[in-house]
Amino acid sequence: MVGLGAWSLVGAALIILLLPRSLEQCGHILLSAPIVRLGDQVTASCIINWNCSHLGTDWRVVWKLEPELHPRERRQHLPNGTLQSTITLPHLNHSRVLLSCCLHWGNSLQILDQAELQAGYPPTAPYNLSCIMNLTTNSLICQWEPGPNTHLSTSFTLKSFKSQDKCQTQKDSIPDCVPEVGQSHCSIPRKHLQLYQNMSIWVQARNALGTSASPKLCLAPMDVVKLEPPTLWALEPSPAVAPPQPGCLRLRWETWRPSLYIEQKCELRHQPRLGEAGWDLVSALPARTSQYELCGLLPSTAYTLQMRCTRWRLPGHWSEWSPSLELTTAQRAPIVRLDTWWRQRQLDPQTVTVQLFWKPIALEEDSGQIQGYLVSWRPSDQAGAEPTLCDTTELNCTFQLPSEAREVVLKAYNTAGTSHPTPVVFLESRGPPLGRLHTTARDPHSLWVGWEPPSPQPQGYVIEWGLSPPSPNGSPMTWRMEHNGSIAGTLLQENIRPFQLYEITVTPLYQDTKGPSQHIYAYSQEMAPSHGPELHLRHIGKTWAQLEWVPEAPELGKSPLTHYTIFWTNTQDQSFSTVLNASTHSFVLRGLEPSSLYHVQLMAASQVWAANSTSLTLMTLTLEESELHILLGLFGLLVLLICLCGAAQFCCRPSRKYSLWPSVPDPARSSLGSWVPTITAEDILQLPSLRDPSMPPITKITVLEEEEKKPGPWESNASSGPGSLSTLVQAYVLQGDPRVPSAQPQPQPGNSDQVLYVQVLGSPTGPGPGHYLRCDSTQPLLEGLSPSPKSYENLWFQTSSPGTPEPLVPHPEDDSIFEPLLDFPLLQGLRVSGAEGLGGF
């Protein structure tokens, strides 16, 4: 069993090894065209031979156009027993792709045959064909543009032939020139050329889809010759030849030796070596010459020069530009104006020390380079050369002169010469001074200085400025001359630094004299305070702390303080602050907590900056035990007061008040007509009608003062005679017409407490009821005696029978008439003793 299994494995392996070899001869691919235009249709057929029948029936043909499979194919059995599978690709969009015919058998895919498909475009005609006769290589070099990419292998060939006429007929052929792959130029050797004979030249492009050719070029090789550039040299100076003028250059050149027999013309271009100026071209240089003088340049300037040449009077190409040559133009004497200023100091009676300053002002764009300055002085009694006082490259010079010297001469010089001499006359100060001088700092690097022009108007001004005090390095003051005498100020921007004190001097200049100098000091920018004032604790309490500080002394160049800001913070990081005036030097912190720690800081601020002082830490005092007791007592009193106020408010409410005691209105503050108690049936007295016209009207009721002490109002007096009243209250009634004004009763001796409470007005004849007028008196009616008795306690009102009222009889000895008034409120609640005297009342 083991041997049989081994032989079966060997047989399977042999079948696998033999299967691919047998399938290679099973089929092949036929293409309609291996190379087509990009996007065209391609048809391919796969022919499967009859000897592949041992595969059985479980197989099929699959086409693969990498990397995709194309299962849609057409099968056809040919008469010779072969099987043909055909596939059509409608659009071939790949420039190069591999097409495979595969056999799908079982679970495997076997390639039967492969074919490469190519797609592209036919070549376009080359263009821009040009040729140059190079005498160095002695060959005709032609170049062209190949055109767009065809995606196919394209070959180019340079074709030409000789012709005696204008390239209309071909005389002798010239071998084709094939360039290397990827190149678009080719050279025809000199042996195949006739230099002065016309020849026709063109380029042919060819690939699998077609052929194209460029337009033909008809030329003679010498008509397209390109010379080599010349070599430039500087022309050496010669004693026999004058040196070049300022702004001029002299140069020469040598042509290429193989072109010595060719007549040429050249061009020269130049540009400054420094700067961004472009090239300037000098064309049409003289023929048959090899040197040239170039003028019109800037003096003392380095230039770069280049030259190129071509055939003259005959066609040809320009050569390349020659290697650069650098030359420098000659200098010219300085053309400048020198502005001068000076300072004099008397050294002794015969000698003065002069410090002279100057500034060169160029009068032309190419005014010449200055190499130095000369200061000379010639005494008036001497002739000949002027002795030199200074020869310097600086813009100032210090020298000594005799006291009588009034003028020196200043010149600028270089290798080309000197400038025009500038006389310096030491003027005396005899002119009018300037008006008010003032200055303003525009920014940290400039100062504006202004003045009031004097009269007459000066010819100019000299402005000087420098640090005050002068810097240790001894740098001179900066100065400037203004030649416009009508101006009233100028802006100084040179050598101005921020936070520095400058001394500015302005001097007016007149004809043959000058005015006195005016000085002013100014800061370009004020600085902030260097540090804030030191903070001190003066006094401290339990809830307050008094702080003080000493302000810093004013400093020059420091901006003045505008305000202070105090910041304090407690241990809970709660911050507080307040802003104080700059004149304040102390402050009290209030509202602090007892026995608490605080951090305090003072900030001094100006218009420019702000500076902080040193920090101060303080702790408030602790409350004493007695103070705690006082605070607790005050708190208890406050709580008690609140409770009392609440109780008073509760008791004084109308709803609560009437429920606790009866309401007794104040007659002096209320209307009598509105205060009428309720009258029950038992309280109604049967009295004669008060509307009886026979009864006299009652005009007044007066309550007299209390007599001496009598028995109580509730005690009955049975022995009292008829007509007598209670000892507590007596009343009398006056008769009269209420329409007649009556005089007020005068107080009688012993009756000074008599008070008028009410006046009753009524017409003796009118039918209507009377009217009561309230009195303005604030005295009580019953003067605080016992309260009035209730209706059931007034026994006097019940002595008579209700059905038989008795008429009221007046006392014959009294002028008063006692009449019961049932509608009078004050009398309804009164108990009157001595009912016997009232009769039927």
Side-chain angles (χ1 to χ4, degrees), residues 556-576:
L556 289 176
K558 301 296 179 65
S559 180
L561 298 179
T562 57
H563 62 276
Y564 294 103
T565 304
I566 296 181
F567 303 90
W568 66 95
T569 307
N570 57 15
T571 54
Q572 288 79 25
D573 291 335
Q574 293 179 342
S575 300
F576 310 91

Side-chain angles (χ1 to χ4, degrees), residues 46 222 267 303 372 422 511 539 610 654 665 679 705 724 751 755 825:
C46 184
M222 285 303 294
E267 288 181 348
Y303 281 88
T422 300
Q511 181 70 28
H539 299 291
I679 301 175
E705 65 177 348
S724 63
N751 297 332
V755 179

Side-chain angles (χ1 to χ4, degrees), residues 548-609:
E548 65 177 4
W549 58 91
V550 178
E552 298 292 332
E555 300 180 40
L556 289 176
K558 301 296 179 65
S559 180
L561 298 179
T562 57
H563 62 276
Y564 294 103
T565 304
I566 296 181
F567 303 90
W568 66 95
T569 307
N570 57 15
T571 54
Q572 288 79 25
D573 291 335
Q574 293 179 342
S575 300
F576 310 91
S577 64
T578 183
V579 180
L580 305 175
N581 197 300
S583 60
T584 305
H585 302 150
S586 64
F587 183 71
V588 178
L589 303 179
R590 302 187 184 277
L592 307 180
E593 296 181 1
S595 185
S596 298
L597 190 68
Y598 289 89
H599 297 280
V600 188
Q601 193 171 31
L602 177 67
M603 182 181 70
S606 65
Q607 293 182 352
V608 183
W609 302 102

